[in-house]
Amino acid sequence: MTSAEPGFLELIEGWDGVGVVVRHDQLTGSWIFVALHDDTLGPATGGCRMKVYARPEEGLLDALRLSEGMTYKWAAMDFPFGGGKTVLAIPRPLVGPERVGLLHRFGELLNSLGGRYGTGADLGTTTEDMQTIAEVSEYVIGVHGRTEGPMDPSPFTALGVFEGIRASLRHRTGEGDVRGRRILVQGVGAVGAALSKRIVGAGGVLLLSDTDERRLSEVATELDAEVVEPEDVYGTDCDVYAPCAIGATLNPETIATLRCQVVAGAANNQLASPTDAALLQDRDILYAPDYVINGGGAMAFTLIYQGEDRVAQLERRVSAIGATLEIIFDEASRGDCSPVVAAQTHVQRVLERGASQA
Ligand code: NAI
């Protein structure tokens, strides 16, 4: 380890969260990191990531950062949950009884927290993994639901993004109707495909791009969409660019070539660096902060976990993401700052109000 790479102690010393639970799972050689960042608004809640890291410290760092991100996500939506995240830092891909064993032992650890933290699926874990944890623990979100089969957050995420696009257009152009608007969806996976259907259903002009040519051609044919080559996405003339594939697509090079009025999509960590928000503002491109616009799935799952089973109610709550974005955009306009800065101010205000009511 070089001095540039902090160890466990330095990482925890430099973090201002509520606490970290660390356990080494001897049977699989895995590290379990449960980071509880903030519980001002409610119990820490966030997904469980499973990944092979070069060093376990990298897994801890991921847990710390991601749990902080969850604090902002819940607060942005003004939802009664706090920021938390689990990382299962595994030494090699785990399958069969080894995987089940680790998940069960993680479930027992969850139980020992007595409801201070709830988990769900994330990168490297599946709904089936969550069902395995749920065999021993009740603190699993996204498994006990209205339906018998596995639940899918993507349609709710897509609804939140669609309402976010409408709010962004309303703020940027004065008209929130997507009819006749050219909307470029990058990534026609679970969220992108559901979003595309909503866009077409509302009369929008759909442009699609994906590196998976077969999937792209299937969805483009079904929805009669214009196909854009992956390398042409950033320079294509459109009203809205909706990143729904990978992170860091917004960087100084791509921002310089964008020909859109709005960037609003589901992908996590769209900005390569926080300073890129100012570059978008300089180009008069309205950016819907990713952690605000893509929270629909998380929102619906926690509502279902709390017993809400009426689809209309779930959709109504998720649709409110549009109103939240409008508040943030208005604040950004008033303060002449980027929506990213305005979203942070909004989050701080919600957390301060939560703290004063505690
Ligand atoms: P997915 O894996 O179902 O779909 C991603 C699609 O992007 C795939 O079709 C893939 O071929 C395509 N793709 C990958 N690299 C690409 C590139 N360079 N250019 C164009 N297309 C590319 O993923 P899903 O669930 O639809 O999620 C999409 C994004 O939204 C991800 O960044 C995810 O982290 C984020 N997100 C998803 C949520 C959900 O409810 N599924 C919730 C919040 C965020």
PDB file of all heavy atoms in Angstrom, residues 165-181:
ATOM      1  N   ILE A 165     -38.320  15.185 -17.561  1.00  0.00           N
ATOM      2  CA  ILE A 165     -38.128  15.778 -18.891  1.00  0.00           C
ATOM      3  C   ILE A 165     -39.181  16.864 -19.117  1.00  0.00           C
ATOM      4  O   ILE A 165     -38.883  17.958 -19.598  1.00  0.00           O
ATOM      5  CB  ILE A 165     -38.209  14.679 -19.980  1.00  0.00           C
ATOM      6  CG1 ILE A 165     -36.942  13.816 -19.933  1.00  0.00           C
ATOM      7  CG2 ILE A 165     -38.411  15.287 -21.374  1.00  0.00           C
ATOM      8  CD1 ILE A 165     -36.953  12.616 -20.874  1.00  0.00           C
ATOM      9  N   ARG A 166     -40.426  16.551 -18.737  1.00  0.00           N
ATOM     10  CA  ARG A 166     -41.499  17.543 -18.932  1.00  0.00           C
ATOM     11  C   ARG A 166     -41.221  18.808 -18.101  1.00  0.00           C
ATOM     12  O   ARG A 166     -41.375  19.932 -18.585  1.00  0.00           O
ATOM     13  CB  ARG A 166     -42.850  16.944 -18.553  1.00  0.00           C
ATOM     14  CG  ARG A 166     -43.233  15.856 -19.538  1.00  0.00           C
ATOM     15  CD  ARG A 166     -44.638  15.351 -19.465  1.00  0.00           C
ATOM     16  NE  ARG A 166     -45.381  15.649 -18.289  1.00  0.00           N
ATOM     17  CZ  ARG A 166     -46.635  16.064 -18.298  1.00  0.00           C
ATOM     18  NH1 ARG A 166     -47.252  16.229 -19.438  1.00  0.00           N
ATOM     19  NH2 ARG A 166     -47.276  16.268 -17.178  1.00  0.00           N
ATOM     20  N   ALA A 167     -40.779  18.604 -16.849  1.00  0.00           N
ATOM     21  CA  ALA A 167     -40.476  19.762 -15.990  1.00  0.00           C
ATOM     22  C   ALA A 167     -39.315  20.564 -16.580  1.00  0.00           C
ATOM     23  O   ALA A 167     -39.324  21.804 -16.556  1.00  0.00           O
ATOM     24  CB  ALA A 167     -40.132  19.290 -14.579  1.00  0.00           C
ATOM     25  N   SER A 168     -38.322  19.870 -17.116  1.00  0.00           N
ATOM     26  CA  SER A 168     -37.146  20.556 -17.676  1.00  0.00           C
ATOM     27  C   SER A 168     -37.554  21.370 -18.898  1.00  0.00           C
ATOM     28  O   SER A 168     -37.137  22.525 -19.058  1.00  0.00           O
ATOM     29  CB  SER A 168     -36.079  19.527 -18.089  1.00  0.00           C
ATOM     30  OG  SER A 168     -35.755  18.698 -17.004  1.00  0.00           O
ATOM     31  N   LEU A 169     -38.373  20.777 -19.762  1.00  0.00           N
ATOM     32  CA  LEU A 169     -38.822  21.500 -20.961  1.00  0.00           C
ATOM     33  C   LEU A 169     -39.645  22.722 -20.558  1.00  0.00           C
ATOM     34  O   LEU A 169     -39.514  23.802 -21.145  1.00  0.00           O
ATOM     35  CB  LEU A 169     -39.651  20.579 -21.863  1.00  0.00           C
ATOM     36  CG  LEU A 169     -38.846  19.604 -22.734  1.00  0.00           C
ATOM     37  CD1 LEU A 169     -39.767  18.585 -23.390  1.00  0.00           C
ATOM     38  CD2 LEU A 169     -38.040  20.356 -23.794  1.00  0.00           C
ATOM     39  N   ARG A 170     -40.497  22.527 -19.542  1.00  0.00           N
ATOM     40  CA  ARG A 170     -41.347  23.637 -19.087  1.00  0.00           C
ATOM     41  C   ARG A 170     -40.470  24.798 -18.622  1.00  0.00           C
ATOM     42  O   ARG A 170     -40.702  25.953 -18.961  1.00  0.00           O
ATOM     43  CB  ARG A 170     -42.249  23.149 -17.938  1.00  0.00           C
ATOM     44  CG  ARG A 170     -43.454  24.009 -17.684  1.00  0.00           C
ATOM     45  CD  ARG A 170     -44.372  23.363 -16.649  1.00  0.00           C
ATOM     46  NE  ARG A 170     -44.854  22.051 -17.060  1.00  0.00           N
ATOM     47  CZ  ARG A 170     -44.703  20.939 -16.358  1.00  0.00           C
ATOM     48  NH1 ARG A 170     -44.109  20.957 -15.195  1.00  0.00           N
ATOM     49  NH2 ARG A 170     -45.162  19.780 -16.799  1.00  0.00           N
ATOM     50  N   HIS A 171     -39.420  24.462 -17.865  1.00  0.00           N
ATOM     51  CA  HIS A 171     -38.562  25.522 -17.341  1.00  0.00           C
ATOM     52  C   HIS A 171     -37.734  26.168 -18.457  1.00  0.00           C
ATOM     53  O   HIS A 171     -37.579  27.385 -18.502  1.00  0.00           O
ATOM     54  CB  HIS A 171     -37.622  24.958 -16.272  1.00  0.00           C
ATOM     55  CG  HIS A 171     -36.822  26.018 -15.590  1.00  0.00           C
ATOM     56  ND1 HIS A 171     -37.306  26.763 -14.541  1.00  0.00           N
ATOM     57  CD2 HIS A 171     -35.577  26.497 -15.851  1.00  0.00           C
ATOM     58  CE1 HIS A 171     -36.397  27.642 -14.163  1.00  0.00           C
ATOM     59  NE2 HIS A 171     -35.337  27.507 -14.945  1.00  0.00           N
ATOM     60  N   ARG A 172     -37.236  25.337 -19.356  1.00  0.00           N
ATOM     61  CA  ARG A 172     -36.304  25.852 -20.372  1.00  0.00           C
ATOM     62  C   ARG A 172     -37.024  26.564 -21.507  1.00  0.00           C
ATOM     63  O   ARG A 172     -36.523  27.535 -22.059  1.00  0.00           O
ATOM     64  CB  ARG A 172     -35.479  24.669 -20.917  1.00  0.00           C
ATOM     65  CG  ARG A 172     -34.477  24.995 -21.982  1.00  0.00           C
ATOM     66  CD  ARG A 172     -33.373  25.890 -21.459  1.00  0.00           C
ATOM     67  NE  ARG A 172     -32.385  26.127 -22.484  1.00  0.00           N
ATOM     68  CZ  ARG A 172     -32.586  26.913 -23.531  1.00  0.00           C
ATOM     69  NH1 ARG A 172     -33.744  27.547 -23.670  1.00  0.00           N
ATOM     70  NH2 ARG A 172     -31.625  27.067 -24.427  1.00  0.00           N
ATOM     71  N   THR A 173     -38.246  26.065 -21.867  1.00  0.00           N
ATOM     72  CA  THR A 173     -38.913  26.615 -23.058  1.00  0.00           C
ATOM     73  C   THR A 173     -40.267  27.253 -22.740  1.00  0.00           C
ATOM     74  O   THR A 173     -40.878  27.844 -23.628  1.00  0.00           O
ATOM     75  CB  THR A 173     -39.171  25.492 -24.099  1.00  0.00           C
ATOM     76  OG1 THR A 173     -40.190  24.616 -23.584  1.00  0.00           O
ATOM     77  CG2 THR A 173     -37.909  24.679 -24.383  1.00  0.00           C
ATOM     78  N   GLY A 174     -40.746  27.051 -21.514  1.00  0.00           N
ATOM     79  CA  GLY A 174     -42.064  27.590 -21.166  1.00  0.00           C
ATOM     80  C   GLY A 174     -43.202  26.639 -21.525  1.00  0.00           C
ATOM     81  O   GLY A 174     -44.366  26.924 -21.274  1.00  0.00           O
ATOM     82  N   GLU A 175     -42.878  25.490 -22.096  1.00  0.00           N
ATOM     83  CA  GLU A 175     -43.907  24.542 -22.538  1.00  0.00           C
ATOM     84  C   GLU A 175     -43.463  23.114 -22.174  1.00  0.00           C
ATOM     85  O   GLU A 175     -42.448  22.626 -22.681  1.00  0.00           O
ATOM     86  CB  GLU A 175     -44.067  24.689 -24.067  1.00  0.00           C
ATOM     87  CG  GLU A 175     -45.038  23.728 -24.696  1.00  0.00           C
ATOM     88  CD  GLU A 175     -46.400  23.744 -24.003  1.00  0.00           C
ATOM     89  OE1 GLU A 175     -47.135  24.737 -24.165  1.00  0.00           O
ATOM     90  OE2 GLU A 175     -46.700  22.759 -23.296  1.00  0.00           O
ATOM     91  N   GLY A 176     -44.231  22.442 -21.291  1.00  0.00           N
ATOM     92  CA  GLY A 176     -43.832  21.126 -20.809  1.00  0.00           C
ATOM     93  C   GLY A 176     -44.319  19.953 -21.641  1.00  0.00           C
ATOM     94  O   GLY A 176     -44.066  18.796 -21.305  1.00  0.00           O
ATOM     95  N   ASP A 177     -44.989  20.258 -22.742  1.00  0.00           N
ATOM     96  CA  ASP A 177     -45.525  19.184 -23.592  1.00  0.00           C
ATOM     97  C   ASP A 177     -44.383  18.579 -24.430  1.00  0.00           C
ATOM     98  O   ASP A 177     -43.599  19.313 -25.025  1.00  0.00           O
ATOM     99  CB  ASP A 177     -46.579  19.807 -24.526  1.00  0.00           C
ATOM    100  CG  ASP A 177     -47.454  18.739 -25.169  1.00  0.00           C
ATOM    101  OD1 ASP A 177     -47.119  17.544 -25.031  1.00  0.00           O
ATOM    102  OD2 ASP A 177     -48.450  19.120 -25.805  1.00  0.00           O
ATOM    103  N   VAL A 178     -44.289  17.251 -24.451  1.00  0.00           N
ATOM    104  CA  VAL A 178     -43.222  16.635 -25.250  1.00  0.00           C
ATOM    105  C   VAL A 178     -43.646  16.449 -26.716  1.00  0.00           C
ATOM    106  O   VAL A 178     -42.821  16.065 -27.552  1.00  0.00           O
ATOM    107  CB  VAL A 178     -42.757  15.268 -24.680  1.00  0.00           C
ATOM    108  CG1 VAL A 178     -42.288  15.412 -23.255  1.00  0.00           C
ATOM    109  CG2 VAL A 178     -43.828  14.217 -24.778  1.00  0.00           C
ATOM    110  N   ARG A 179     -44.925  16.729 -27.019  1.00  0.00           N
ATOM    111  CA  ARG A 179     -45.411  16.540 -28.399  1.00  0.00           C
ATOM    112  C   ARG A 179     -44.525  17.308 -29.384  1.00  0.00           C
ATOM    113  O   ARG A 179     -44.261  18.498 -29.218  1.00  0.00           O
ATOM    114  CB  ARG A 179     -46.851  17.045 -28.497  1.00  0.00           C
ATOM    115  CG  ARG A 179     -47.537  16.775 -29.814  1.00  0.00           C
ATOM    116  CD  ARG A 179     -49.029  17.007 -29.680  1.00  0.00           C
ATOM    117  NE  ARG A 179     -49.606  16.142 -28.661  1.00  0.00           N
ATOM    118  CZ  ARG A 179     -49.945  14.861 -28.847  1.00  0.00           C
ATOM    119  NH1 ARG A 179     -49.793  14.305 -30.022  1.00  0.00           N
ATOM    120  NH2 ARG A 179     -50.447  14.148 -27.866  1.00  0.00           N
ATOM    121  N   GLY A 180     -44.021  16.578 -30.366  1.00  0.00           N
ATOM    122  CA  GLY A 180     -43.203  17.207 -31.406  1.00  0.00           C
ATOM    123  C   GLY A 180     -41.755  17.477 -30.995  1.00  0.00           C
ATOM    124  O   GLY A 180     -40.946  17.890 -31.811  1.00  0.00           O
ATOM    125  N   ARG A 181     -41.422  17.227 -29.739  1.00  0.00           N
ATOM    126  CA  ARG A 181     -40.042  17.458 -29.277  1.00  0.00           C
ATOM    127  C   ARG A 181     -39.148  16.303 -29.694  1.00  0.00           C
ATOM    128  O   ARG A 181     -39.556  15.137 -29.606  1.00  0.00           O
ATOM    129  CB  ARG A 181     -40.001  17.566 -27.752  1.00  0.00           C
ATOM    130  CG  ARG A 181     -40.757  18.743 -27.205  1.00  0.00           C
ATOM    131  CD  ARG A 181     -39.963  20.005 -27.414  1.00  0.00           C
ATOM    132  NE  ARG A 181     -40.614  21.140 -26.785  1.00  0.00           N
ATOM    133  CZ  ARG A 181     -40.280  22.397 -27.003  1.00  0.00           C
ATOM    134  NH1 ARG A 181     -39.305  22.687 -27.859  1.00  0.00           N
ATOM    135  NH2 ARG A 181     -40.895  23.368 -26.400  1.00  0.00           N
TER     136      ARG A 181
END
